[in-house]
Amino acid sequence: MRIGILTGGGDCPGLNAVIRAVVRKAVDVHGDEVVGFRDGWRGVLEDDAVALDLAAVRGLLPRGGTVLGTSRTNPFASDDGAERLRATLRRRGIDALVPIGGEDTLGVAARLGDAGVQVVGVPKTIDNDLEGTDYTFGFDTAVGVAMEAIDRLHTTGDSHHRTLVVEVMGRHAGWIALHAGMAGGANVVLVPERPFDVDAVVAHCRHRFESGYSPIVVVSEGARPAEGTLVTADGGLDAFGHVRLGGIGAALAALLEERTGREARAVVLGHVQRGGTPSQFDRVLATRFGLAAVDALHDGASGVMVALRGTDIVRVPIADATARLKLVPLERYAEVEVFFG
Amino acid sequence: MRIGILTGGGDCPGLNAVIRAVVRKAVDVHGDEVVGFRDGWRGVLEDDAVALDLAAVRGLLPRGGTVLGTSRTNPFASDDGAERLRATLRRRGIDALVPIGGEDTLGVAARLGDAGVQVVGVPKTIDNDLEGTDYTFGFDTAVGVAMEAIDRLHTTGDSHHRTLVVEVMGRHAGWIALHAGMAGGANVVLVPERPFDVDAVVAHCRHRFESGYSPIVVVSEGARPAEGTLVTADGGLDAFGHVRLGGIGAALAALLEERTGREARAVVLGHVQRGGTPSQFDRVLATRFGLAAVDALHDGASGVMVALRGTDIVRVPIADATARLKLVPLERYAEVEVFFG
Amino acid sequence: MRIGILTGGGDCPGLNAVIRAVVRKAVDVHGDEVVGFRDGWRGVLEDDAVALDLAAVRGLLPRGGTVLGTSRTNPFASDDGAERLRATLRRRGIDALVPIGGEDTLGVAARLGDAGVQVVGVPKTIDNDLEGTDYTFGFDTAVGVAMEAIDRLHTTGDSHHRTLVVEVMGRHAGWIALHAGMAGGANVVLVPERPFDVDAVVAHCRHRFESGYSPIVVVSEGARPAEGTLVTADGGLDAFGHVRLGGIGAALAALLEERTGREARAVVLGHVQRGGTPSQFDRVLATRFGLAAVDALHDGASGVMVALRGTDIVRVPIADATARLKLVPLERYAEVEVFFG
Amino acid sequence: MRIGILTGGGDCPGLNAVIRAVVRKAVDVHGDEVVGFRDGWRGVLEDDAVALDLAAVRGLLPRGGTVLGTSRTNPFASDDGAERLRATLRRRGIDALVPIGGEDTLGVAARLGDAGVQVVGVPKTIDNDLEGTDYTFGFDTAVGVAMEAIDRLHTTGDSHHRTLVVEVMGRHAGWIALHAGMAGGANVVLVPERPFDVDAVVAHCRHRFESGYSPIVVVSEGARPAEGTLVTADGGLDAFGHVRLGGIGAALAALLEERTGREARAVVLGHVQRGGTPSQFDRVLATRFGLAAVDALHDGASGVMVALRGTDIVRVPIADATARLKLVPLERYAEVEVFFG
């Protein structure tokens, strides 16, 4: 069997581990050949690919990023996209595809599957907002990075009595904030799913100062206040809806400093959360996803993606994952509120 | 409600996080009182306890070990044990117990539950060998420590062409070896569930040297060769069945050095795997377990333990977890064999 | 001997290690008594202190922050400050003081020393900008945190072709940027000592993109462009001289995005760099400083601080350290310029 | 200029960073060419080499091990060794050599220098036992790995009251044990320079148990008891002089368990200490060494090695470093004895 593989969307710790596992299993166990397309669907559109043998994937397991590169190219954006994809697959004699990506990448995969191409997807989202799988790789690593930052802030906060705001990833879903906040023992956790009450946050911070401690606030990059707009005295921030410079973390710190009368500082972890070596959880998950994808191909499966359910790797229709975002449910969010003491 | 809490058996990263979560939820949300018994069931037997308020659990989240201490005391070993447990609970006005522990600790809990004491257990096993729950806290941390060690060995092994043997925890179950080996990219993974073929291990190592690389072998402390006994030339090792000094790791390294003719070295991580700060995964899980245990008590549940199923915390009969060990199934072990290249 | 100890200024990993070492050596070896003043000179002014015995310092070695608290209180700001300090020392029977701090804290120490109080200082500056000592504790930890962040950014940058700006501490001196940039393999390092040429930075970034890679720019919080003011198209930034919201890192990212036409993102590590457990280098240095300070007191030394010279702990006049800042010399800065490729 | 570079002896975190810095500076700044010989002097003897341009060293900074490989080949072991070295240098048109290594590698370098070849050495020893330089790269990383292990042992030891023995590297010099023990807060530190008194170690451990805590003993692999031989009851250990299986760590744990009547466990970090990514300290030092070596070559220096003195990189005669080992002096060892409480 000749298998094509590609990585699309934002990068994520564990992508290389999936690629390596696919190649190891396909080549070593089944005698398949594997071709890696560069920069997601762009590589298929433009027939930009590289052969992946065992030597090509040696040492990839611990490496962050993706050796194949990635892009957000949507092949269906142009009229002849579908035909160009098929032409590349024909020209290269590709029997099946393993696209690794999120909503967009898998959406393309589903359409190709509908059109008769054998496709087994591997879900990828650092924000943990894909339905259909308990977790994907990358999320565990990202939460770990954020937790370590919060751990470090605890001692320094308490020595100085200042508010520390940590902005973490999560444009639409607050999973990273929720888990990092719970793991790090944050005092306030703000997520996109629940527009926050600025007065309540200020009150929490004040209460914390009065108890002799310093508040640590974890905020998803996509979290916004309920009221919509806010102006700080120095005019640098006209509205939370427009927080281009420095993001919500810096804006919130400025606001809390003004409202509590205590110094506030922001930490913006940004891409540090999505780079670097994957955690063991993510390496194991990514490896198992890769192995299972090859199994699925050899079982003749198509239009599905591999997914984690409990401790099992299962196959689910790609459409299950791309129908809607997996948001933090209210009862999970309620778990962290007990720590708003 | 007045809740008693205790930790039994070997220690594990996350124990303190459970204690903290129980106290936070019980005291802050329900207005309960919490009493911590020292050194597992010994503290209940001998009425050795300490009141746990919010101040007592401050800062506990990231700390390894257990502030309550632990022991392997079996209260039913003496005839009047059951009566002494009940006497302590009466004297202190304890309404319900939250025992945190493995097979033994939970076994006692189940018997107390049968006898009418309200008990909600929290499962704990660093080896991941308890049935009834997908994972418990501590395992993720232990695998992470082992993986980091393997990561470090890769570069040094390749620079020098020597066999590196890493002995990890796992007396009866090979979960740590399996996951650490997969996450670290080990070449051979040996687990207690499958007595290993020494000749095959030697052959793998030789093959690896011939390919220009150095073999990394991960071995559970409880793994043993299929043939039972082995003698090395220097007489230091009379049998694998008697590997008191240095353990299986050192014995295997000595054997591989002799059989392959290449230097071999052992790394024995020992208690490093069970100490120190928990990973984010373990902190979140331990915290959720603690919160859920208090919920269960207030729901009137008893004889159950909290457990992880997928992403949910559920309640299962304690007996489900203590009936038998959760071993590595053959199909999971087969996943790592693809890497024996 | 009865020794008073205090920590002043910003907190720093290693403060607790110094306190512990002073107490261990003083109490265990010399039979001294140690009193810890709270919140720097404020504790002496207001006679707010706590006895420090061996039990009080147990477990302090790995802990960030300072158990004594810290402040920037200047006792000489009020007319009767000097008298109040002396009154407290008399009342408590303090024979000698060990103030741990930077320029300000040690400046007060020097004045007290001139006035006849036996004082042996311990230098502290996370920015590494104190003269008289090769290094102080905290700096190594801070650089390590910044390096780990840069390591993580490398993979993600290369997968996506975007500029990543890392803002690190360093208001007046660029040591953290210099070392973290060199250790992390940054492409551009900007320090306060050398106002930077915006056009040159833009050119470096462009050159990097043209070579197929993503630029990583490390910038000290105190670095500023040579020309003084800059306006970006979206008006969010009126001048680098006024970069309150989000700091220089966010401002520079906005500018580079506009000028290079490629996405740019900022990482702001902030207090993450000064919190958390100290590195081994910092723990050893802090411990040796503490031991040496007690030695110095028992030798009758005063008006000096302990300092690192090569591998030796020596004593230097406090005035040597407080006379001027230790800035990055041109030839050290030149070392990183070779990597601006 | 055409520069040859090679790495000899045991591997060490930072070797790749030196190689990268030499190439960056030589190629980018001076327009030199660089040739890397494989496996130390063997590569020169057998003319096994590879051209090193900028692309070849990209991404090397954080990587452990050495891309050039290493060996302990002594070219002067054969009569025609010297001539073969010179023949290779002539054939390749090598103007100067940068050998990176310890006593043996630099010893060869010195002889070549005496014979008229331009040679600038870079010192390397993970044990920190080379004279002539304050530190070399790799040592800081190794101590950090050992400290993290000790940190993890503290919590687990205290929960269980058992002796934990950590065996660290150091065949002849106890620097790693000394620094890791001080940084980790070990209770007993045993080094090769001071044969230890077994009774005193047992007494320390007992005292520690009596105080309610668990002893942590750090022992260099080369440390030995003063009395020379010891027999434990189970016969597994006939003499400390013959501790082949499991090493001194396992032997000492067995002994302490027998003598104290409390469980004892050994942790053997082995090659974990010398593998993996270098710490920031080691990356900066290795990079500065590499840059300075190229400077020295262009200054016409020969027969010297680069060295760290305080914060400066200087040049010292190679002979200074190879004349004798740098051992832990008594007064440095005395620093840790204050913690034997």
Side-chain angles (χ1 to χ4, degrees):
Chain A
M1 186 178 261
R2 188 187 286 263
I3 301 170
I5 187 169
L6 59 95
T7 53
D11 72 326
C12 203
L15 285 170
N16 282 325
V18 178
I19 296 168
R20 167 182 175 268
V22 165
V23 172
R24 294 293 291 258
K25 180 104 190 213
V27 173
D28 238 23
V29 176
H30 295 286
D32 297 333
E33 288 176 72
V34 183
V35 171
F37 289 100
R38 292 205 180 87
D39 299 339
W41 294 113
R42 188 199 64 75
V44 193
L45 268 186
E46 304 179 6
D47 198 1
D48 183 3
V50 59
L52 294 175
D53 56 11
L54 293 178
V57 298
R58 188 177 144 70
L60 280 196
L61 180 59
R63 284 173 52 188
T66 163
V67 284
L68 291 177
T70 178
S71 74
R72 300 192 187 276
T73 302
N74 176 4
F76 297 124
S78 64
D79 288 345
D80 64 343
E83 183 41 41
R84 285 165 63 197
L85 294 181
R86 292 174 155 288
T88 298
L89 301 182
R90 260 197 318 271
R91 194 176 312 121
R92 296 217 171 238
I94 303 288
D95 300 302
L97 277 179
V98 178
I100 312 166
E103 215 187 343
D104 296 337
T105 305
L106 295 179
V108 172
R111 285 180 63 172
L112 278 181
D114 291 344
V117 178
Q118 193 188 1
V119 185
V120 172
V122 176
K124 179 221 59 126
T125 156
I126 202 155
D127 288 348
N128 194 37
D129 57 1
L130 268 184
E131 283 285 355
T133 185
D134 285 355
Y135 294 104
T136 58
F137 53 90
F139 172 67
D140 186 86
T141 303
V143 176
V145 168
M147 179 197 76
E148 281 179 28
I150 300 171
D151 275 4
R152 288 194 170 272
L153 294 179
H154 272 291
T155 52
T156 189
D158 287 347
S159 302
H160 281 289
H161 308 304
R162 53 164 70 93
T163 303
L164 293 167
V165 176
V166 185
E167 181 187 308
V168 299
M169 286 188 307
R171 223 170 271 271
H172 306 293
W175 291 106
I176 293 179
L178 181 81
H179 280 238
M182 185 177 265
N187 304 106
V188 177
V189 174
L190 306 174
V191 298
E193 291 89 341
R194 295 232 322 200
F196 59 85
D197 177 343
V198 171
D199 292 334
V201 175
V202 170
H204 279 308
C205 290
R206 280 195 187 129
H207 171 69
R208 183 93 183 148
F209 282 124
E210 282 156 15
S211 311
Y213 300 116
S214 296
I216 294 183
V217 180
V218 174
V219 58
S220 301
E221 59 183 326
R224 291 293 178 272
E227 57 270 46
T229 36
L230 282 166
V231 185
T232 64
D234 75 352
L237 169 73
D238 53 34
F240 271 93
H242 175 234
V243 287
R244 170 70 186 77
L245 190 62
I248 183 73
L252 188 58
L255 175 84
L256 291 174
E257 181 165 311
E258 189 183 320
R259 293 281 301 274
T260 64
R262 304 275 198 141
E263 206 181 353
R265 288 282 177 272
V267 168
V268 181
L269 294 173
H271 284 67
V272 172
Q273 297 161 89
R274 72 183 328 140
T277 195
S279 69
Q280 66 84 8
F281 184 95
D282 285 338
R283 293 194 201 174
V284 169
L285 183 55
T287 298
R288 295 185 72 198
F289 273 173
L291 300 179
V294 175
D295 286 341
L297 288 180
H298 281 274
D299 286 350
S302 185
V304 298
M305 69 173 200
V306 294
L308 179 70
R309 290 282 169 84
T311 60
D312 296 323
I313 307 298
V314 299
R315 298 168 198 169
V316 300
I318 291 179
D320 284 12
T322 55
R324 66 177 188 289
L325 285 180
K326 180 172 70 178
L327 300 179
V328 175
L330 203 62
E331 63 272 20
R332 282 302 312 277
Y333 187 68
E335 288 178 346
V336 296
E337 291 188 301
V338 71
F339 298 108
F340 283 14
Chain B
M1 186 179 261
R2 187 186 287 261
I3 300 170
I5 188 169
L6 60 96
T7 54
D11 72 326
C12 203
L15 286 169
N16 282 325
V18 179
I19 295 168
R20 167 181 176 267
V22 165
V23 172
R24 293 292 292 256
K25 180 101 190 217
V27 172
D28 239 23
V29 177
H30 295 286
D32 299 332
E33 286 175 72
V34 182
V35 171
F37 289 100
R38 291 203 181 88
D39 298 340
W41 293 113
R42 189 199 63 75
V44 194
L45 267 185
E46 303 178 5
D47 199 1
D48 184 2
V50 59
L52 295 175
D53 56 10
L54 293 178
V57 299
R58 186 176 145 70
L60 280 196
L61 179 60
R63 283 174 54 187
T66 162
V67 284
L68 291 177
T70 177
S71 75
R72 300 192 187 276
T73 302
N74 176 3
F76 296 124
S78 65
D79 288 345
D80 64 343
E83 183 41 41
R84 284 165 64 196
L85 294 182
R86 292 174 154 289
T88 298
L89 301 182
R90 262 197 316 270
R91 195 176 310 122
R92 296 222 171 232
I94 302 288
D95 299 302
L97 278 179
V98 178
I100 311 166
E103 216 186 341
D104 297 338
T105 304
L106 295 180
V108 172
R111 285 180 63 172
L112 278 182
D114 291 344
V117 178
Q118 193 189 2
V119 186
V120 171
V122 176
K124 177 220 60 123
T125 157
I126 201 157
D127 288 349
N128 195 36
D129 58 1
L130 267 184
E131 284 284 357
T133 185
D134 286 355
Y135 294 104
T136 58
F137 53 90
F139 172 68
D140 185 86
T141 303
V143 176
V145 167
M147 178 197 77
E148 282 180 27
I150 300 170
D151 275 3
R152 289 195 169 270
L153 295 178
H154 272 291
T155 52
T156 188
D158 287 347
S159 302
H160 280 289
H161 308 304
R162 55 163 70 93
T163 303
L164 294 167
V165 176
V166 186
E167 181 187 308
V168 299
M169 286 189 305
R171 223 169 270 271
H172 306 293
W175 291 106
I176 292 179
L178 181 81
H179 281 238
M182 184 176 266
N187 304 106
V188 177
V189 174
L190 305 174
V191 298
E193 291 89 342
R194 295 234 319 202
F196 58 86
D197 177 343
V198 172
D199 292 335
V201 175
V202 171
H204 278 309
C205 291
R206 281 196 187 127
H207 171 69
R208 183 94 183 146
F209 281 125
E210 283 156 14
S211 312
Y213 300 117
S214 295
I216 293 184
V217 179
V218 174
V219 57
S220 300
E221 59 183 325
R224 291 293 179 271
E227 57 270 45
T229 36
L230 283 165
V231 185
T232 64
D234 75 352
L237 170 72
D238 53 34
F240 271 94
H242 176 232
V243 288
R244 169 69 184 77
L245 191 61
I248 183 73
L252 188 59
L255 174 84
L256 291 174
E257 181 164 312
E258 190 183 318
R259 292 281 300 274
T260 63
R262 304 275 199 140
E263 205 182 354
R265 287 282 178 272
V267 168
V268 181
L269 294 173
H271 284 68
V272 172
Q273 296 161 89
R274 72 186 323 142
T277 196
S279 69
Q280 66 83 7
F281 183 95
D282 286 337
R283 293 194 201 174
V284 170
L285 182 56
T287 298
R288 295 186 71 197
F289 273 174
L291 299 178
V294 175
D295 285 341
L297 288 180
H298 280 274
D299 286 351
S302 186
V304 298
M305 69 174 201
V306 293
L308 179 70
R309 291 281 169 83
T311 60
D312 295 323
I313 308 297
V314 300
R315 299 167 196 169
V316 300
I318 290 178
D320 284 11
T322 56
R324 65 176 190 290
L325 285 180
K326 179 173 70 179
L327 300 179
V328 175
L330 205 61
E331 64 272 19
R332 283 302 312 278
Y333 187 68
E335 288 177 346
V336 296
E337 291 188 299
V338 72
F339 297 108
F340 282 15
Chain C
M1 186 178 259
R2 187 186 288 262
I3 301 170
I5 187 169
L6 60 94
T7 54
D11 73 325
C12 203
L15 285 170
N16 282 325
V18 178
I19 296 168
R20 168 183 175 267
V22 165
V23 172
R24 293 293 290 259
K25 180 103 190 213
V27 173
D28 240 22
V29 176
H30 294 287
D32 297 333
E33 287 175 71
V34 182
V35 171
F37 290 100
R38 292 204 181 87
D39 298 339
W41 293 113
R42 188 199 63 75
V44 194
L45 267 186
E46 302 179 6
D47 198 2
D48 184 2
V50 58
L52 294 175
D53 57 11
L54 293 178
V57 298
R58 186 176 146 71
L60 280 196
L61 179 60
R63 284 173 52 188
T66 163
V67 284
L68 292 177
T70 177
S71 74
R72 299 193 187 276
T73 302
N74 176 4
F76 297 124
S78 64
D79 288 345
D80 63 343
E83 182 42 40
R84 285 165 63 196
L85 294 181
R86 293 175 153 287
T88 297
L89 301 182
R90 260 196 319 270
R91 196 176 311 122
R92 296 220 170 235
I94 304 289
D95 299 303
L97 277 179
V98 178
I100 312 167
E103 214 187 343
D104 296 337
T105 304
L106 295 179
V108 172
R111 284 180 63 172
L112 278 182
D114 291 345
V117 179
Q118 192 188 1
V119 186
V120 171
V122 175
K124 178 221 58 126
T125 156
I126 202 157
D127 288 348
N128 194 37
D129 58 1
L130 267 184
E131 284 284 356
T133 185
D134 286 354
Y135 294 104
T136 59
F137 52 90
F139 172 67
D140 185 86
T141 303
V143 175
V145 167
M147 179 197 77
E148 282 180 27
I150 300 170
D151 275 4
R152 289 194 170 272
L153 295 179
H154 273 290
T155 53
T156 190
D158 287 347
S159 302
H160 280 290
H161 308 304
R162 55 164 69 91
T163 303
L164 294 167
V165 176
V166 186
E167 181 187 308
V168 299
M169 287 189 305
R171 224 170 269 272
H172 305 294
W175 291 106
I176 292 179
L178 180 81
H179 281 239
M182 184 176 266
N187 304 106
V188 177
V189 175
L190 306 174
V191 298
E193 291 89 341
R194 295 233 319 201
F196 59 85
D197 176 343
V198 172
D199 291 335
V201 175
V202 170
H204 278 308
C205 291
R206 279 195 189 130
H207 171 69
R208 183 93 183 147
F209 281 124
E210 283 156 15
S211 313
Y213 299 115
S214 295
I216 294 184
V217 179
V218 174
V219 58
S220 302
E221 59 184 325
R224 291 294 179 271
E227 56 271 48
T229 36
L230 282 165
V231 185
T232 64
D234 75 352
L237 170 72
D238 53 34
F240 271 93
H242 176 233
V243 287
R244 169 68 186 78
L245 191 61
I248 183 73
L252 187 58
L255 174 84
L256 291 174
E257 181 164 311
E258 190 183 319
R259 293 281 300 274
T260 64
R262 304 274 199 143
E263 205 182 353
R265 287 283 177 272
V267 169
V268 181
L269 294 172
H271 284 68
V272 172
Q273 297 162 89
R274 71 185 326 140
T277 196
S279 69
Q280 65 85 8
F281 184 95
D282 286 337
R283 293 193 201 174
V284 169
L285 182 56
T287 298
R288 295 185 73 198
F289 273 173
L291 300 178
V294 175
D295 285 342
L297 288 180
H298 281 275
D299 286 351
S302 186
V304 297
M305 69 174 199
V306 293
L308 178 70
R309 291 280 169 83
T311 61
D312 296 323
I313 308 297
V314 300
R315 300 169 196 167
V316 300
I318 291 178
D320 284 11
T322 55
R324 66 177 187 288
L325 285 180
K326 179 172 70 179
L327 300 178
V328 174
L330 203 61
E331 64 273 19
R332 282 303 312 277
Y333 188 69
E335 288 177 347
V336 296
E337 291 187 299
V338 72
F339 297 108
F340 283 14
Chain D
M1 187 179 261
R2 187 186 287 263
I3 301 171
I5 187 169
L6 59 94
T7 54
D11 72 325
C12 203
L15 286 169
N16 282 325
V18 178
I19 296 167
R20 168 181 175 267
V22 165
V23 172
R24 294 293 291 259
K25 180 102 189 215
V27 173
D28 239 24
V29 177
H30 294 286
D32 298 333
E33 287 175 72
V34 182
V35 170
F37 289 100
R38 292 203 180 87
D39 298 339
W41 293 113
R42 188 199 64 74
V44 193
L45 268 185
E46 304 178 4
D47 198 1
D48 184 2
V50 59
L52 294 175
D53 57 10
L54 292 178
V57 299
R58 185 174 146 71
L60 279 196
L61 179 60
R63 284 174 53 187
T66 162
V67 284
L68 291 177
T70 177
S71 74
R72 299 192 187 277
T73 302
N74 176 2
F76 297 123
S78 65
D79 288 345
D80 64 342
E83 181 42 39
R84 285 166 62 197
L85 293 182
R86 291 175 154 289
T88 298
L89 300 183
R90 262 196 317 270
R91 193 176 313 122
R92 296 220 171 234
I94 303 288
D95 300 302
L97 278 179
V98 178
I100 312 167
E103 216 186 341
D104 296 338
T105 304
L106 295 180
V108 172
R111 285 180 63 172
L112 278 182
D114 290 345
V117 178
Q118 191 187 3
V119 185
V120 171
V122 175
K124 177 220 59 122
T125 156
I126 201 155
D127 289 347
N128 195 36
D129 57 1
L130 268 183
E131 284 283 356
T133 184
D134 285 356
Y135 294 103
T136 58
F137 53 90
F139 172 67
D140 186 85
T141 303
V143 175
V145 168
M147 179 197 76
E148 280 180 29
I150 300 171
D151 275 3
R152 289 194 170 271
L153 294 178
H154 273 290
T155 52
T156 189
D158 287 348
S159 302
H160 281 289
H161 308 304
R162 55 163 68 93
T163 303
L164 293 167
V165 176
V166 186
E167 181 187 307
V168 298
M169 287 189 304
R171 224 170 270 272
H172 305 293
W175 291 106
I176 292 179
L178 180 82
H179 280 239
M182 184 176 265
N187 303 107
V188 177
V189 174
L190 305 175
V191 297
E193 291 89 342
R194 294 236 317 203
F196 58 86
D197 177 343
V198 172
D199 292 335
V201 175
V202 171
H204 278 309
C205 290
R206 280 196 188 127
H207 172 69
R208 184 94 182 146
F209 282 124
E210 283 157 15
S211 312
Y213 300 115
S214 295
I216 293 183
V217 179
V218 174
V219 57
S220 301
E221 59 183 326
R224 291 295 179 269
E227 56 270 48
T229 37
L230 282 166
V231 185
T232 65
D234 77 352
L237 170 72
D238 53 33
F240 271 93
H242 176 233
V243 287
R244 170 70 184 77
L245 192 61
I248 183 73
L252 188 59
L255 174 85
L256 291 175
E257 182 164 312
E258 189 183 319
R259 293 281 301 274
T260 64
R262 305 276 197 139
E263 206 182 353
R265 288 283 177 273
V267 167
V268 181
L269 294 173
H271 285 66
V272 173
Q273 296 161 88
R274 71 184 327 140
T277 195
S279 69
Q280 65 85 7
F281 184 96
D282 286 338
R283 293 194 201 173
V284 169
L285 182 55
T287 299
R288 296 185 72 198
F289 273 173
L291 300 179
V294 175
D295 285 341
L297 289 180
H298 281 275
D299 286 350
S302 186
V304 298
M305 67 175 201
V306 293
L308 179 70
R309 291 281 170 82
T311 60
D312 295 324
I313 308 297
V314 299
R315 299 169 197 168
V316 300
I318 291 179
D320 284 10
T322 55
R324 66 176 189 289
L325 285 180
K326 179 173 70 179
L327 300 178
V328 175
L330 204 62
E331 64 273 19
R332 282 302 312 277
Y333 187 68
E335 288 177 347
V336 295
E337 291 188 300
V338 71
F339 296 108
F340 282 15

